[in-house]
Amino acid sequence: MEYVSTRDSSRKVSAAYAIAHGIAPDGGLYCPTTFPALTADDWQALQARDYKGRAALILGKLLTDFSAEELAAYTAKAYADEKFGGADTAPVVALGEGRHMLELWHGPTCAFKDMALQMLPHLLTASLRKTGETRTACILVATSGDTGKAALDGFHDVDGTKIMVYYPVDGVSPMQKLQMTTQEGKNVEVVAIRGNFDDAQSAVKRIFTDEQTRAALDADGLMLSSANSINWGRLAPQIAYYVSAYCDLVASGAVEMGAPINVCVPTGNFGNILAAYIAGQMGLPVHKLICASNRNDVLTDFFRKGGVYDKDRPFYATTSPSMDILISSNLERLLFFLSDGDDRLVASLMAALAQDGRYQVDDALFAKICASFDAGCCDDETAAQTIRALWEQQHYLCDTHTAVAVHVYEDYRARTGDQTPTVIASTASPFKFCRAVLEALGGTLDKDDVSQLDALTAFTGVAAPAPLAALAGKTPRFDRVVDKEDILSTVALLRDL
Ligand SMILES: *Cc1c(COP(=O)(O)O)cnc(C)c1O
């Protein structure tokens, strides 16, 4: 397997190189030049394996410069039972009316980011070795809340790495903030940025493309890398759980082998849903990919209004903060795939986005996009009603992000009449967004944020995940807040870690 940048496909690199560097020097994202196909034998093997074995098989198809033994060892560590609460790593729960919830939040930080970020440190340190890299990798992360903590948990005290997380100061939930600012480890730093997630993400991209900064770091034996979903090493592990969910659906008799499913994903940076698209290209029978957004509906408009991507619109802070994003980075990869690798086109669309805040794809490309995707959005009030209805009708507790997807799916099903069984990605534990979930259920909100966990347990009888309960009484270690214009000055902090 070879990888190229979405903006210049003339230079081919290995998977290890793409993972070690995170982003291409031209600002593009690394993509495979072909999609490996899952054979009938692969499907048979997949069905017989547990999650760790399934993930190792899928990754082996994509990361051909890693041996089967290496990948089996990494998935055994990343998805160890003690990290995922001993439960199924990514269980599927049927709710009727076509809804199959793929619960991706049983890992150490209680959001789906763990599925990739428990793997990435293994992939990244091996990639540094494989590419002959001797410098220390400095992982820079822009987070809308969940990536930050999951990356800190994955990388803390990992030899040969340092990690710095930037989060929007008023753009994360109190629980998310507490999770990040109490992170332990010698090689970690957490910085709040005045602005929203897009400001944080753009500022981090500025560090990556600043030649002077890179040269200064290089002189100190440091190199930059990324744990955001722009890094192929983040995306590849996410492909596995869609394939695994399909195996589970076949095993439970919910679908027959070979029959199609839909996948509905609460979407922000477009990484998770893109992983489902790639699974489809590898042979997972997918009918429609349904992209669910909150009130920040830039993607809904793109898919439903003629392929115009226009980020020039109000930014809303919602009860699903991990989806409060107007620049969905991984859409760039979809454009690259669907234009048959037209790097010039992608480079010009991304230049237009940077300059004018908008671009439009042509009719032929838009038709291809519509063949695979549908989309919808949902405001906070509707998400809250969905949480309440699921609880009252099914006794199923879901978080605010997942609720957006459930509503958008129900809306899609009513609108189209499509009865295809649908995997809905459940991306966070409801306890991570306790206040909003309690409020949706009509519970009382008179306590501070960590105590809300007990209130939600008292109200529902559902126990809070242990890693969140353990936050009570922890003291924050990090309180630095900087303006986005000053982000380059924070790079110096890396030297002292
Ligand atoms: C990150 C996140 C999302 C959005 O995922 P993308 O891959 O950025 O589209 C949705 N829900 C939760 C809980 C998240 O943490």
Side-chain angles (χ1 to χ4, degrees):
M1 292 283 296
E2 291 178 320
Y3 291 79
V4 293
S5 163
T6 46
R7 301 187 194 178
D8 174 7
S9 54
S10 62
R11 203 169 61 99
K12 299 189 166 44
V13 303
S14 64
Y17 186 94
I19 292 169
H21 291 260
I23 189 167
D26 53 39
L29 310 186
Y30 286 116
C31 289
T33 53
T34 55
F35 295 112
L38 294 171
T39 64
D41 283 351
D42 289 334
W43 280 108
Q44 222 164 22
L46 284 163
Q47 281 174 284
R49 293 186 185 187
D50 64 2
Y51 190 83
K52 303 171 187 83
R54 289 172 181 172
L57 190 154
I58 300 293
L59 287 168
K61 296 266 159 188
L62 294 157
L63 313 178
T64 45
D65 40 349
F66 290 71
S67 71
E69 293 71 34
E70 282 176 301
L71 292 171
Y74 303 159
T75 57
K77 282 190 221 163
Y79 305 120
D81 292 351
E82 59 273 20
K83 283 190 173 173
F84 281 78
D88 280 346
T89 310
V92 181
V93 178
L95 293 185
E97 292 167 40
R99 299 167 299 185
H100 299 272
M101 309 303 293
L102 170 56
E103 293 183 351
L104 299 170
W105 42 263
H106 292 279
T109 76
C110 309
F112 88 92
K113 306 293 199 292
D114 288 328
M115 301 299 297
L117 281 162
Q118 288 298 316
M119 259 314 272
L120 186 63
H122 301 293
L123 294 175
L124 187 90
T125 47
S127 296
L128 295 171
R129 239 179 15 248
K130 284 174 194 291
T131 54
E133 184 57 66
T134 53
R135 292 171 293 178
T136 297
C138 300
I139 321 292
L140 301 187
V141 180
T143 183
S144 55
D146 291 330
T147 297
K149 177 59 183 182
L152 289 164
D153 189 276
F155 278 99
H156 79 275
D157 295 330
V158 171
D159 287 343
T161 71
K162 302 179 181 208
I163 174 160
M164 181 125 91
V165 168
Y166 298 90
Y167 70 93
V169 68
D170 295 319
V172 301
S173 82
M175 188 72 75
Q176 290 175 315
K177 181 171 172 179
L178 193 61
Q179 278 188 302
M180 289 188 279
T181 56
T182 57
Q183 176 65 45
E184 290 161 17
K186 294 189 294 290
N187 64 337
V188 307
E189 179 68 50
V190 178
V191 176
I193 298 273
R194 288 191 192 89
N196 60 35
F197 171 72
D198 290 314
D199 295 324
Q201 177 159 260
S202 302
V204 169
K205 278 188 185 161
R206 221 171 61 236
I207 302 179
F208 273 102
T209 48
D210 188 85
E211 281 306 326
Q212 246 180 330
T213 302
R214 292 183 89 105
L217 287 169
D218 184 51
D220 288 334
L222 305 174
M223 68 173 283
L224 294 177
S225 191
S226 163
N228 280 101
S229 55
I230 54 176
N231 191 322
W232 178 248
R234 253 296 289 283
L235 220 46
Q238 296 181 219
I239 298 164
Y241 48 71
Y242 292 110
V243 176
S244 176
Y246 191 78
C247 293
D248 289 349
L249 289 176
V250 171
S252 72
V255 300
E256 260 178 65
M257 189 67 205
I261 56 166
N262 296 324
V263 180
C264 180
V265 184
T267 300
N269 225 355
F270 208 72
N272 203 4
I273 194 165
L274 186 76
Y277 170 82
I278 296 171
Q281 297 304 301
M282 292 174 69
L284 178 71
V286 178
H287 173 54
K288 279 283 177 194
L289 296 160
I290 304 159
C291 175
S293 300
N294 63 25
R295 198 174 167 205
N296 294 294
D297 56 357
V298 60
L299 285 166
T300 312
D301 282 354
F302 174 72
F303 287 113
R304 290 181 61 177
K305 293 191 185 155
V308 178
Y309 194 95
D310 186 355
K311 78 171 175 74
D312 191 12
R313 62 184 66 216
F315 177 93
Y316 300 108
T318 73
T319 54
S320 42
S322 301
M323 298 156 68
D324 290 346
I325 292 177
L326 293 179
I327 305 175
S328 298
S329 295
N330 273 293
L331 189 61
E332 176 169 352
R333 282 190 166 108
L334 181 72
L335 299 173
F336 182 77
F337 294 140
L338 285 176
S339 66
D340 298 318
D342 189 341
D343 53 349
R344 287 205 179 171
L345 173 74
V346 174
S348 75
L349 294 176
M350 292 306 122
L353 182 62
Q355 269 156 38
D356 316 325
R358 78 192 292 281
Y359 62 79
Q360 177 163 21
V361 301
D362 67 26
D363 291 349
L365 184 50
F366 187 59
K368 282 195 194 173
I369 291 170
C370 293
S372 299
F373 286 85
D374 204 297
C377 58
C378 161
D379 61 18
D380 284 355
E381 200 184 315
T382 313
Q385 284 162 3
T386 305
I387 290 171
R388 188 167 186 148
L390 269 190
W391 177 251
E392 287 175 353
Q393 292 156 21
Q394 309 273 338
H395 230 63
Y396 186 80
L397 194 58
C398 82
D399 94 292
T400 46
H401 303 72
T402 307
V404 168
V406 170
H407 172 78
V408 167
Y409 169 64
E410 288 169 350
D411 197 49
Y412 164 85
R413 189 171 150 114
R415 171 162 53 84
T416 61
D418 178 8
Q419 310 266 317
T420 308
T422 298
V423 167
I424 300 175
S426 175
T427 49
S429 159
F431 286 87
K432 216 167 168 175
F433 302 93
C434 233
R435 183 173 283 269
V437 171
L438 249 183
E439 206 160 24
L441 296 176
T444 20
L445 293 162
D446 52 355
K447 297 180 184 167
D448 70 78
D449 282 287
V450 177
S451 331
Q452 301 281 357
L453 292 176
D454 298 334
L456 187 54
T457 296
F459 197 89
T460 60
V462 179
L468 296 181
L471 287 174
K474 278 199 184 169
T475 319
R477 293 177 61 202
F478 305 101
D479 59 3
R480 195 183 304 267
V481 186
V482 303
D483 287 324
K484 60 188 174 190
E485 292 76 19
D486 297 332
I487 191 161
L488 288 178
S489 70
T490 62
V491 175
L493 298 170
L494 285 166
R495 293 201 184 89
D496 302 330
L497 292 180

